[in-house]
Amino acid sequence: MTTIYFVRHAQPDFTVHDDATRPLSNQGKEDCQKLIAFFHQIPIDLMFSSPFKRAYDTIWPLAQSRNTIITTIDDLRERKVSDTWLTDFPTFAYRQWQDFSFKLEHGESLAEVQSRSIRVMSTLLTDYSEKTLLIGTHGTALSTIINYYDQKFGFAEFNAIKAMMPWIVKMSFDGNHCVNIESFTLNRNQAFTTYAIFD
């Protein structure tokens, strides 16, 4: 069995519009420290991340606590919306989930994001079979991965998790076949609890 923990980044500083360099907010920096406690008794063999700052910085304290190297993979980056800041994101997100091929000029469709993400998954599952991996990731990119393995995950589920930061998703694989998906989110007591992706 191969286990992959995806960690969607903690709360970012939305005043920074550059997607690649957007940092964590002060709250985000506090919340990512809680990952150390969550993973305290969970062995992790390797850690990977999107190259985007908010994803990398979210898992950095955990990696530092274990003296573990984080390997960045460019194809784990978040979906590119366009070359300009989008003000009406909910409408755009809805259109993309209704049509996986829909994209703005100079942007990416969900189909394109899913394709590159699953290529990475296939490589990791082949190269690190029977290992436990952790991946620093993003809301949309992670959602397309979940959708690939379980197509019940759609816009409603994506919309439900949009404010969950950080958000942990655990996937278990038998070879390349995903046999189980679990997720965890911070509750009001600032501790991670199980969150049901599907009703």
Side-chain angles (χ1 to χ4, degrees):
M1 193 73 67
T2 305
T3 303
I4 301 181
Y5 287 91
F6 296 88
V7 179
R8 189 228 184 146
H9 61 77
Q11 184 187 82
D13 180 351
F14 289 108
T15 66
V16 178
H17 289 180
D18 182 72
D19 210 23
T21 62
R22 186 176 306 129
L24 297 175
S25 67
N26 288 333
Q27 182 64 55
K29 292 174 184 176
E30 290 181 19
D31 288 344
C32 66
Q33 295 288 335
K34 299 178 178 68
L35 296 171
I36 297 174
F38 178 87
F39 286 102
H40 178 64
Q41 294 184 317
I42 299 174
I44 300 171
D45 295 303
L46 300 108
M47 298 178 71
F48 301 89
S49 178
S50 155
F52 287 8
K53 181 174 175 59
R54 61 190 182 279
Y56 187 95
D57 286 357
T58 294
I59 64 172
W60 167 246
L62 176 62
Q64 192 174 39
S65 73
R66 297 185 175 211
N67 196 29
T68 300
I69 294 172
I70 301 172
T71 301
T72 59
I73 300 176
D74 187 58
D75 276 347
L76 290 174
R77 67 191 182 278
E78 181 60 303
R79 178 258 294 108
K80 182 178 181 181
V81 175
S82 71
D83 285 340
T84 58
W85 181 256
L86 188 68
T87 55
D88 187 5
F89 182 79
T91 298
F92 165 74
Y94 178 78
R95 288 193 67 183
Q96 284 213 308
W97 280 95
Q98 295 305 303
D99 178 4
F100 259 43
S101 67
F102 172 75
K103 61 181 177 180
L104 300 177
E105 186 177 9
H106 305 303
E108 286 184 294
S109 68
L110 294 188
E112 290 170 327
V113 177
Q114 186 180 71
S115 179
R116 61 173 164 80
S117 297
I118 296 305
R119 284 199 303 270
V120 173
M121 291 290 295
S122 296
T123 298
L124 295 178
L125 289 169
T126 298
D127 292 350
Y128 305 109
S129 178
E130 308 300 319
K131 301 287 187 180
T132 298
L133 315 179
L134 184 142
I135 297 175
T137 186
H138 304 270
T140 300
L142 174 54
S143 293
T144 67
I145 293 172
I146 298 172
N147 170 268
Y148 178 84
Y149 294 107
D150 194 331
Q151 293 186 0
K152 293 193 301 292
F153 190 100
F155 176 74
E157 289 72 26
F158 169 77
N159 202 45
I161 62 91
K162 64 183 180 182
M164 295 181 185
M165 296 177 274
W167 183 46
I168 300 170
V169 174
K170 177 186 178 183
M171 292 188 182
S172 302
F173 293 86
D174 181 1
N176 286 318
H177 178 62
C178 182
V179 296
N180 191 52
I181 301 176
E182 300 175 73
S183 76
F184 310 86
T185 188
L186 286 172
N187 60 23
R188 292 180 180 178
N189 297 320
Q190 294 296 291
F192 281 101
T193 55
T194 302
Y195 171 78
I197 299 178
F198 306 106
D199 293 330

